[in-house]
Amino acid sequence: MDTLTKVVFGSILVAVLTGCVQKTAKPNNPYYAPVQPQSLQAVRPVTGSIYSAATSRDIYGDGRATRIGDIITVVLTESTQSSKSAKTSLDKSNEFNLPQATLFGHGASAFGQPISAVQAEAETEFEGEGKSDMSNSLSGNITVTVHDVLPNGSLVVRGEKWLTLNQGEEYIRVSGLVRPQDIDQSNSVQSTKLADARIEYAGNGAVNDTNVTGWLSRFFISPFWPL
């Protein structure tokens, strides 16, 4: 088996193994789960006073999330668009001329044969062009919980929402940092106001599988394909 055959066979094997392993998300990820009761702020011991700072509620508050365990609605208003194009053109030509060799005014020879003049030409051309356009949009709502409150007052929020459909499942996962001043009166915040945002929207099932390129097709468009 020659080297080229080994390379092609190994590339096909890698593509097959890669195609057989598909990332499938599962619900109830502990990272996105709501804060458990034991993780909430501890209740201070009773000292005889009716007032307790741990369980108090501001009767003049606006109901916005401020503490660990509070819930907040994230309004998804994501929209991205990008365009990129590239074009490369190379042209190189070389010409080499060597006149007939002479020795003491006479034509030189080797092994009884005269050494004639040498002329060589080489030309190289390359032209490549690529263009890419991409646009994405995501809208909707997802309610998440506050997992931590940073010293500067920012809220660490995250959560997930799963939708079970007749042909599979769809899920949305969101995590990020929220400034309290960005929360509106309805206890909602725009997803564009999330710092260090992680937004994941995907699905499982028959509909999602039909949008996945087969392993053989991925091999022909992968870097392993030499052409």
Side-chain angles (χ1 to χ4, degrees):
M1 183 181 294
D2 56 6
T3 304
L4 180 60
T5 304
K6 292 181 180 179
V7 172
V8 174
F9 179 76
S11 301
I12 295 177
L13 181 61
V14 171
V16 171
L17 296 177
T18 304
C20 294
V21 179
Q22 296 292 337
K23 180 182 178 180
T24 303
K26 296 182 180 180
N28 301 324
N29 189 324
Y31 179 77
Y32 294 95
V35 180
Q36 298 299 320
Q38 60 267 24
S39 301
L40 298 178
Q41 298 176 355
V43 179
R44 296 181 180 179
V46 179
T47 59
S49 174
I50 299 177
Y51 173 78
S52 175
T55 59
S56 64
R57 293 293 183 272
D58 186 3
I59 61 176
Y60 300 104
D62 50 16
R64 301 178 186 179
T66 57
R67 299 186 298 186
I68 297 177
D70 289 350
I71 63 174
I72 181 175
T73 300
V74 178
V75 181
L76 302 173
T77 54
E78 296 296 321
S79 179
T80 59
Q81 184 174 1
S82 63
S83 177
K84 182 179 181 181
S85 61
K87 185 176 182 180
T88 304
S89 179
L90 300 175
D91 188 359
K92 181 180 180 181
S93 60
N94 295 318
E95 184 175 350
F96 176 75
N97 293 311
L98 181 64
Q100 183 179 9
T102 59
L103 181 63
F104 302 110
H106 301 282
S109 61
F111 303 102
Q113 300 295 329
I115 301 176
S116 59
V118 177
Q119 182 178 2
E121 294 182 0
E123 185 174 354
T124 303
E125 293 184 0
F126 172 80
E127 186 172 350
E129 184 175 358
K131 185 177 181 181
S132 175
D133 294 316
M134 180 181 296
S135 61
N136 297 283
S137 62
L138 178 62
S139 60
N141 298 327
I142 176 175
T143 300
V144 298
T145 56
V146 178
H147 282 245
D148 196 7
V149 179
L150 302 183
N152 62 353
S154 297
L155 309 178
V156 180
V157 301
R158 56 177 177 262
E160 65 178 358
K161 177 167 67 174
W162 282 76
L163 303 175
T164 302
L165 309 175
N166 55 354
Q167 293 295 332
E169 296 177 322
E170 293 184 356
Y171 67 90
I172 302 175
R173 287 172 174 168
V174 175
S175 65
L177 301 176
V178 178
R179 295 192 312 167
Q181 53 267 41
D182 292 332
I183 305 175
D184 60 23
Q185 295 180 352
S186 61
N187 194 37
S188 302
V189 62
Q190 300 289 327
S191 61
T192 54
K193 298 293 184 65
L194 264 67
D196 194 26
R198 299 291 188 274
I199 302 176
E200 182 179 357
Y201 173 63
N204 301 322
V207 176
N208 181 73
D209 293 340
T210 57
N211 291 313
V212 178
T213 307
W215 64 266
L216 186 59
S217 298
R218 290 200 301 272
F219 167 73
F220 286 114
I221 61 176
S222 68
F224 297 106
W225 183 243
L227 300 180

